[in-house]
Amino acid sequence: MLIAEGDVLIVIDVQNDFCPGGALAVADGDTVIDPIHNLSVKFDHIVLTQDWHTPGHSSFASAHPGKNPFEQIEITCGMQTLWPDHCVQGTRGAEFHPALGLARAELILRKGFRKEIDSYSAFFENDRTTPTGLGGYLRERGLKRVFVAGLAYDFCVGYSALDAKRLGFEAIVLRDACRAIDLDRSVEKMEAEFARAGVVPMESSALLG
């Protein structure tokens, strides 16, 4: 597959808290960095996202007395998985992994900064209606095809790809440049959503040949 001028690589949440030693570490999360670097040279356009939570964010188990991480609760916009405190604004855990070297990125999009609602997707808050502005940004830049990599495959990467497709972009997930949490069959469920929506999972080798 050839990369075109209208293509963009969106690198999701390669932050310290999602990598080994972090507060919400994805297994082998830092191993996405080398494939992302290898891919990045093919793209003229790169966007980074950064989870950017307030202290006491409503998605944190610590904000709900008696609740534990990975339990679920009902909130206004549906079911919310409760997480350990992570990616709190201004902390080391919220910083990009120090090995991530993508200074060419044209945009850093921060998400999850509204205290009362989480934001898995790079395009919408978890109410599925409040936009982050990324869709409009890509359209105004004339970008039409989205390649998604990073953390985690079955949450923020997956929801970003699904929302890109919902907004009319072509959406491709680069599987070997992602790692998953795999909480309660979340990988299987996300891949079923990809199939229904027309999101294309692909190995990065298809772009590097």
Side-chain angles (χ1 to χ4, degrees):
M1 178 182 289
L2 296 177
I3 301 302
E5 174 60 27
D7 294 342
V8 58
L9 176 64
I10 302 180
V11 178
I12 304 289
D13 299 355
V14 183
Q15 295 166 257
N16 288 323
D17 267 346
F18 294 129
C19 292
L24 185 51
V26 180
D28 300 321
D30 55 347
T31 63
V32 304
I33 295 172
D34 282 347
I36 287 171
H37 285 168
N38 293 338
L39 286 162
S40 68
V41 300
K42 298 285 187 179
F43 288 85
D44 290 334
H45 307 290
I46 300 172
V47 169
L48 308 179
T49 74
Q50 191 175 21
D51 230 19
W52 199 247
H53 292 310
T54 59
H57 193 271
S58 62
S59 68
F60 296 166
S62 62
H64 304 274
K67 296 295 183 181
N68 297 307
F70 310 111
E71 290 185 29
Q72 289 196 327
I73 62 169
E74 182 86 32
I75 61 173
T76 305
C77 61
M79 296 303 295
Q80 170 69 52
T81 299
L82 298 178
W83 306 106
D85 291 25
H86 66 281
C87 296
V88 175
Q89 297 171 6
T91 65
R92 181 184 177 279
E95 294 172 4
F96 292 116
H97 191 285
L100 187 71
L102 295 176
R104 287 197 303 113
E106 298 165 339
L107 176 70
I108 296 172
L109 179 95
R110 287 174 167 169
K111 60 187 181 66
F113 52 79
R114 293 179 173 88
K115 187 171 185 177
E116 298 308 318
I117 188 167
D118 208 358
S119 184
Y120 297 156
S121 170
F123 291 91
F124 289 96
E125 308 288 358
N126 281 7
D127 61 4
R128 319 301 297 138
T129 58
T130 304
T132 65
L134 181 58
Y137 171 86
L138 297 182
R139 285 199 183 96
E140 290 201 359
R141 295 289 312 280
L143 303 175
K144 300 175 181 177
R145 187 166 60 167
V146 167
F147 292 78
V148 191
L151 303 171
Y153 177 77
D154 44 340
F155 282 92
C156 295
V157 168
Y159 283 107
S160 297
L162 290 168
D163 279 343
K165 186 69 176 177
R166 181 160 67 102
L167 289 172
F169 300 96
E170 290 185 61
I172 296 163
V173 175
L174 299 163
R175 286 182 295 204
D176 57 315
C178 305
R179 294 295 179 272
I181 296 173
D182 203 11
L183 180 66
D184 189 26
R185 297 172 46 241
S186 52
V187 168
E188 178 185 339
K189 293 172 183 175
M190 184 58 71
E191 290 184 336
E193 290 293 324
F194 289 168
R196 279 191 286 271
V199 170
V200 179
M202 179 184 293
E203 301 301 311
S204 63
S205 58
L207 305 180
L208 297 174

